[in-house]
Amino acid sequence: MDLIEPISDLFKCVCSPICEYFDYYRKLDENMEELDRVLRELESKKKDIEATLSRAEREQGKKPSNEVSDWLKNVQRINTKAESFNQEVEKGNCFSRACLGKDVEKKIDVVMGDNGMTLSTTSNLVGERTGKIVEEIWEDLMGDKVSKIGVWGMGGIGKTTIMSHINNKLQEKPNKFNDVIWVTVSQPLDLIKLQTEIATALKESLPENEDKEAFNLFIDGVGTNILQVPALNKEIINEVVEECGCLPLAIVTVAASMSGEEEIYEWQNALNELRGRLRSLNDDVQAKYDRGHTILNRLVNCCLLESAKDGSCVKMHDLIRDMALRITSKSPLFMVTAGLRLLKFPGEQEWEENLERVSLMENDFEEIPSNMSPHCEILSTLLLQHNKYLQRIPECFFVHMHGLKVLNLCHTSIEVLPNSVSDLTNLRSLLLRWCGILKRVPSLAKLLALQYLDLEGTWIEEVPEDFGGEVLRETVEEAARLSDRLDTFVGYFSTLNDFNIYVKSTDGRGSKNYCLLLSASGKRGFLEVDKSVRLFACKICETEETIVLPEDVQYLEMFGVDDVASLNDVLPREQGLVNIGKFSHDLKVLRFLYCRNLKNLFSLRLLPALQNLEVLAVGYCFLIEEIVAVEDEETEKELATNTIINTVTLPRLKKLHLEDLREFKSICSDNGVLVCNSLQEIEVYNCPKLKRLSLSLPLLDNGQPSPPPALEVIEIKKELWESLEWDQPNAKDVLNPYCKFWRGN
């Protein structure tokens, strides 16, 4: 037994290492495969972390922490050693396999250790840029120059982290602000919950009178000056506020967007958008008009368009036009060769199927090839105006243009309009103005979408047959009936009878907008848009009949009308007094020029109908002495004894223009005053007998006069200005800074 035990111990000492040796020898290939697998996993993790670091540095300006940098270096060392070890294994013999097998297992343990290490690349990144932003915000908060701060950026960039730091620092400085509120805005938005959380943090309760609070909040955002804009009434402002549903965020947002906007169409468009009307009311012309003006205004404000000084039109800068042409050279596809004076009409191969708009205006085409019939089913606009040599359009040209909405052939020499126009059922505007030898157009019965038809300056003698489904006779009454189908009607009348027949026949059902000219001399000129009437060198107060004006006219001009002494002469009377119920209460512009027998503009009785008047211009009327006349003897006696004051109130008047009025003395009688706090411009030229402007200025709290809040300029001769008499003390001194003196008669 004594001999067996040492032998047994010796066997154990020798056998165990030998078994381990053979185990390393046998498993070398298997362990090399395992090492290769864990190395690949480690390399994948390394690439993921490097990608995360690259994105964080590029988007957030962050750098890796020391822990991450050391790990990346260690992985690189492991890869280098693994490559060297692999070469050693390939060169090894049978006696070295066991040693190599043991080393492989050790290296697997090392790699597995690094591969299992958890690294939070986001939390371990040090953001120098983030720290600078926090410092910048903190400085602004502690200072007094910045009142509002917004943190903006893409999702995940660290906005919440930045504001958490700021919030924590503010909690450490309780004396700087009375209240510091942290509120999380949930998605979807629960505005009531948000309001409640803010009110709770302030230890307040929500106000009961929400409508009043909403209006005050809106005015705070849009500016109190908006209440002084004459064109805007409180009603439309209230309507906009109501559409915000008393929701503070909506109120503040809409108020900010409307700040500085003083045009009524901007407010009407905002109201339409809030109500969702633009999508639902395709036939609401006014809504489209408001929307169009709003878009133009925004394009001007963004410098994509330039507005003319008088605001009558816009134009596009050459660079912007070039950019637009580049954009529309592919999708959407436009063809634009305007003003190039081309002699040859574009070939049919240039008319691609996906063309949407084509402008070939102001070229020198004589004809369109007789067999040309482009397949352009989605073409919506075709502009061919001012091709003065263009005489013929083939019958087949419009056959494959069923999507056409606007066709402009103005100022061309076409003799006949092709019959294929009759099938353009989507056509909205057909413009044939000053096609001087055009005598006939085909049936327009199918053109139910047609809204604008311009035949001015053509030789067409008959209204197109079957327009509206019935044969129309050549009469003024039928022209009035025809205008009911159009958005805008432009009419020229040579006799008072025809003019009156047209106005009476419309009976308030005519086109939405109109431009009417009565001219005995046949003179035609530019007419204002919307609802306008121009009376040129004609008689309108004949014995047999007096002119009948549309009851919704907005622009009225009399030029060279010598048979009227006052606007009252053309208005209907009842028991000898003017019936203002028959006169337009929408009048915005009133002009009298070269009316040689005009003695005054209107009477006091007409004032209620002139509350929307914005422009009043009188020029070269050599007999006029005053603007407003007293109509009846009783009122005149009361004025003479000063028992009443003659007050002329025109709340929306913006411009007053008086020129070459040789007998003009005052706005009205000696004790009359003109109240128009929305005045922007006063222009007085060559009115040598003028004694009083009769302006009644707004009063301050101390009783002293102040200039009208919108006043911009008073243009007048200095000598005349110095001689004027004033009813209010210091009125002259108050207005003097607005004077722009001119030299002349």
Side-chain angles (χ1 to χ4, degrees):
M1 286 292 295
D2 294 337
L3 180 61
I4 292 175
E5 287 182 359
I7 293 174
S8 176
D9 292 338
L10 178 63
F11 181 81
K12 290 179 181 179
C13 291
V14 173
C15 184
S16 180
I18 291 175
C19 291
E20 186 177 1
Y21 178 90
F22 278 107
D23 191 57
Y24 287 139
Y25 183 98
R26 181 174 54 82
K27 291 185 177 182
L28 175 62
D29 294 335
E30 181 181 340
N31 287 340
M32 286 297 294
E33 292 178 1
E34 178 65 12
L35 177 62
D36 184 66
R37 184 186 66 78
V38 295
L39 283 172
R40 288 197 305 271
E41 292 180 356
L42 183 63
E43 182 64 21
S44 296
K45 184 172 183 179
K46 172 175 174 287
K47 290 181 178 180
D48 290 342
I49 291 176
E50 286 177 337
T52 301
L53 293 173
S54 177
R55 184 169 60 253
E57 184 174 4
R58 181 177 64 255
E59 298 177 354
Q60 305 176 32
K62 294 185 176 182
K63 296 181 180 180
S65 64
N66 293 333
E67 180 187 9
V68 176
S69 298
D70 291 341
W71 184 87
L72 291 172
K73 293 177 182 178
N74 194 41
V75 171
Q76 185 61 41
R77 285 194 296 269
I78 290 174
N79 285 335
T80 302
K81 289 184 179 181
E83 184 177 355
S84 176
F85 184 79
N86 190 50
Q87 294 175 358
E88 187 177 345
V89 170
E90 291 177 356
K91 295 178 181 179
N93 52 39
C94 62
F95 295 105
S96 62
R97 282 180 63 86
C99 294
L100 293 173
K102 183 177 182 180
D103 289 341
V104 169
E105 284 198 353
K106 291 181 179 179
K107 293 189 180 301
I108 289 174
D109 292 338
V110 172
V111 175
M112 291 290 289
D114 273 340
N115 202 11
M117 184 177 181
T118 301
L119 295 173
S120 178
T121 56
T122 303
S123 61
N124 287 323
L125 291 172
V126 179
E128 294 182 2
R129 184 179 176 189
T130 300
K132 291 180 180 178
I133 293 174
V134 172
E135 292 177 4
E136 182 179 348
I137 294 175
W138 185 255
E139 289 179 3
D140 289 336
L141 281 173
M142 295 299 105
D144 298 324
K145 295 182 179 180
V146 178
S147 59
K148 296 179 183 178
I149 300 174
V151 180
W152 177 88
M154 62 184 294
I157 202 171
K159 302 184 294 297
T160 304
T161 302
I162 290 172
M163 293 314 299
S164 296
H165 284 300
I166 295 296
N167 182 60
N168 294 337
K169 293 182 72 174
L170 286 172
Q171 301 299 335
E172 298 171 1
K173 287 183 174 287
N175 296 329
K176 178 62 179 177
F177 298 99
N178 294 332
D179 298 284
V180 178
I181 304 172
W182 179 278
V183 178
T184 300
V185 181
S186 60
Q187 295 293 338
L189 177 64
D190 186 342
L191 213 58
I192 301 300
K193 179 182 176 182
L194 179 62
Q195 291 174 323
T196 304
E197 289 182 3
I198 295 175
T200 302
L202 294 172
K203 298 179 180 180
E204 300 283 350
S205 58
L206 295 176
E208 296 180 1
N209 190 353
E210 291 188 356
D211 291 340
K212 184 176 180 180
E213 291 291 332
F215 184 82
N216 291 336
L217 179 61
F218 186 85
I219 295 301
D220 288 342
V222 79
T224 55
N225 290 339
I226 205 68
L227 297 174
Q228 308 299 324
V229 178
L232 299 177
N233 52 52
K234 197 172 181 179
E235 181 180 350
I236 191 171
I237 298 175
N238 273 322
E239 288 179 353
V240 171
V241 176
E242 287 175 8
E243 291 299 324
C244 295
C246 293
L247 304 178
L249 185 59
I251 292 171
V252 171
T253 302
V254 174
S257 68
M258 298 307 296
S259 180
E261 300 294 351
E262 298 184 356
E263 298 292 343
I264 185 65
Y265 60 75
E266 289 273 5
W267 285 82
Q268 193 62 55
N269 180 69
L271 189 59
N272 291 337
E273 289 185 335
L274 289 169
R275 292 172 173 172
R277 294 181 65 195
L278 293 181
R279 293 185 178 91
S280 60
L281 296 183
N282 293 326
D283 295 329
D284 192 333
V285 177
Q286 187 61 46
K288 294 178 181 178
Y289 179 84
D290 295 332
R291 179 62 176 163
H293 271 281
T294 300
I295 292 173
L296 283 178
N297 194 40
R298 290 175 183 173
L299 290 174
V300 170
N301 291 338
C302 294
C303 300
L304 293 176
L305 291 176
E306 300 172 8
S307 180
K309 291 183 179 180
D310 61 359
S312 62
C313 63
V314 294
K315 59 181 179 179
M316 184 179 290
H317 191 278
D318 290 345
L319 292 176
I320 302 298
R321 184 176 185 272
D322 290 343
M323 179 186 70
L325 291 177
R326 287 178 64 87
I327 293 174
T328 57
S329 63
K330 295 182 180 179
S331 180
L333 181 61
F334 293 6
M335 183 198 300
V336 181
T337 60
L340 299 183
R341 296 302 171 193
L342 301 178
L343 298 175
K344 185 178 180 181
F345 199 78
E348 192 159 353
Q349 70 278 2
E350 298 181 54
W351 295 74
E352 300 184 33
E353 290 186 1
N354 58 336
L355 264 177
E356 295 186 29
R357 289 177 173 83
V358 173
S359 175
L360 303 175
M361 66 175 73
E362 296 183 10
N363 283 293
D364 293 330
F365 309 129
E366 292 187 4
E367 63 179 4
I368 299 174
S370 59
N371 60 346
M372 178 176 283
S373 182
H375 287 254
C376 300
E377 294 291 349
I378 66 171
L379 183 66
S380 63
T381 303
L382 177 56
L383 306 180
L384 289 167
Q385 66 265 36
H386 292 282
N387 279 283
K388 59 183 179 180
Y389 302 118
L390 182 61
Q391 299 179 9
R392 289 180 295 279
I393 300 177
E395 284 290 335
C396 59
F397 185 71
F398 297 111
V399 169
H400 303 293
M401 296 184 183
H402 293 108
L404 202 59
K405 296 178 180 178
V406 177
L407 176 59
N408 193 332
L409 292 165
C410 295
H411 294 274
T412 59
S413 298
I414 58 173
E415 300 176 6
V416 178
L417 199 62
N419 290 321
S420 53
V421 170
S422 300
D423 296 321
L424 300 178
T425 56
N426 290 303
L427 199 63
R428 296 181 182 177
S429 296
L430 178 57
L431 311 177
L432 302 169
R433 175 180 296 196
W434 292 107
C435 293
I437 58 177
L438 180 64
K439 296 182 178 181
R440 186 186 68 83
V441 296
S443 171
L444 305 180
K446 297 180 183 179
L447 308 189
L448 300 180
L450 191 64
Q451 296 177 336
Y452 195 96
L453 174 63
D454 191 346
L455 302 175
E456 177 192 348
T458 67
W459 279 74
I460 295 175
E461 298 177 352
E462 297 181 0
V463 177
E465 290 186 358
D466 297 328
F467 191 87
E470 60 178 343
V471 178
L472 302 180
R473 300 187 309 275
E474 184 189 357
T475 64
V476 177
E477 292 96 329
E478 287 159 352
R481 201 174 307 158
L482 172 64
S483 71
D484 187 38
R485 291 262 317 272
L486 306 174
D487 276 345
T488 300
F489 177 82
V490 180
Y492 294 86
F493 302 89
S494 58
T495 68
L496 178 61
N497 184 56
D498 285 346
F499 183 94
N500 284 348
I501 290 175
Y502 174 83
V503 174
K504 292 176 181 178
S505 299
T506 58
D507 192 25
R509 296 178 291 100
S511 59
K512 298 176 179 66
N513 297 299
Y514 54 80
C515 303
L516 307 179
L517 171 66
L518 173 59
S519 174
S521 65
K523 180 178 177 61
R524 297 181 177 184
F526 173 75
L527 288 178
E528 296 291 330
V529 295
D530 299 332
K531 304 174 187 295
S532 62
V533 173
R534 188 183 187 201
L535 309 174
F536 183 88
C538 57
K539 292 183 178 181
I540 61 176
C541 294
E542 298 182 358
T543 305
E544 296 79 10
E545 62 179 335
T546 301
I547 192 169
V548 178
L549 294 173
E551 294 185 10
D552 60 349
V553 62
Q554 296 180 4
Y555 177 103
L556 177 60
E557 178 180 331
M558 295 189 189
F559 189 106
V561 178
D562 295 335
D563 62 341
V564 295
S566 170
L567 179 60
N568 290 49
D569 293 348
V570 303
L571 301 180
R573 291 176 175 267
E574 292 183 1
Q575 298 180 349
L577 298 177
V578 172
N579 182 6
I580 63 172
K582 297 291 186 179
F583 184 70
S584 173
H585 284 53
D586 300 320
L587 194 65
K588 294 181 179 180
V589 179
L590 183 59
R591 299 180 186 274
F592 286 85
L593 301 171
Y594 294 97
C595 297
R596 292 181 293 181
N597 294 310
L598 190 70
K599 294 183 178 179
N600 59 70
L601 293 193
F602 47 80
S603 69
L604 282 173
R605 294 186 180 275
L606 194 58
L607 276 179
L610 300 175
Q611 297 304 289
N612 289 309
L613 192 65
E614 297 179 2
V615 177
L616 179 58
V618 188
Y620 305 95
C621 300
F622 302 137
L623 296 183
I624 188 170
E625 297 182 5
E626 57 188 4
I627 299 294
V628 184
V630 179
E631 190 177 41
D632 57 277
E633 294 182 2
E634 184 177 347
T635 304
E636 189 171 16
K637 290 178 181 179
E638 290 177 344
L639 290 172
T641 58
N642 291 321
T643 57
I644 64 172
I645 297 177
N646 179 7
T647 301
V648 180
T649 303
L650 298 172
R652 298 192 176 185
L653 188 66
K654 297 179 180 179
K655 183 174 182 179
L656 177 63
H657 180 94
L658 307 171
E659 182 173 0
D660 211 346
L661 308 178
R662 301 173 186 177
E663 300 297 325
F664 186 67
K665 297 176 181 178
S666 64
I667 299 294
C668 48
S669 55
D670 290 340
N671 64 340
V673 292
L674 176 64
V675 179
C676 44
N677 294 334
S678 57
L679 261 179
Q680 297 176 0
E681 300 177 26
I682 301 175
E683 299 172 345
V684 181
Y685 303 107
N686 194 22
C687 299
K689 294 186 178 182
L690 180 63
K691 296 179 180 179
R692 301 169 61 247
L693 275 181
S694 308
L695 287 178
S696 178
L697 302 181
L699 297 179
L700 300 174
D701 293 338
N702 59 7
Q704 293 298 312
S706 65
L711 187 63
E712 297 175 359
V713 66
I714 300 175
E715 294 191 15
I716 193 172
K717 191 176 180 181
K718 187 172 184 180
E719 291 80 357
L720 180 60
W721 175 257
E722 296 293 344
S723 68
L724 291 179
E725 301 172 1
W726 300 92
D727 299 321
Q728 294 173 291
N730 303 325
K732 179 179 177 181
D733 295 334
V734 168
L735 296 177
N736 202 62
Y738 297 90
C739 287
K740 180 181 179 182
F741 299 120
W742 58 275
R743 297 179 181 180
N745 297 326

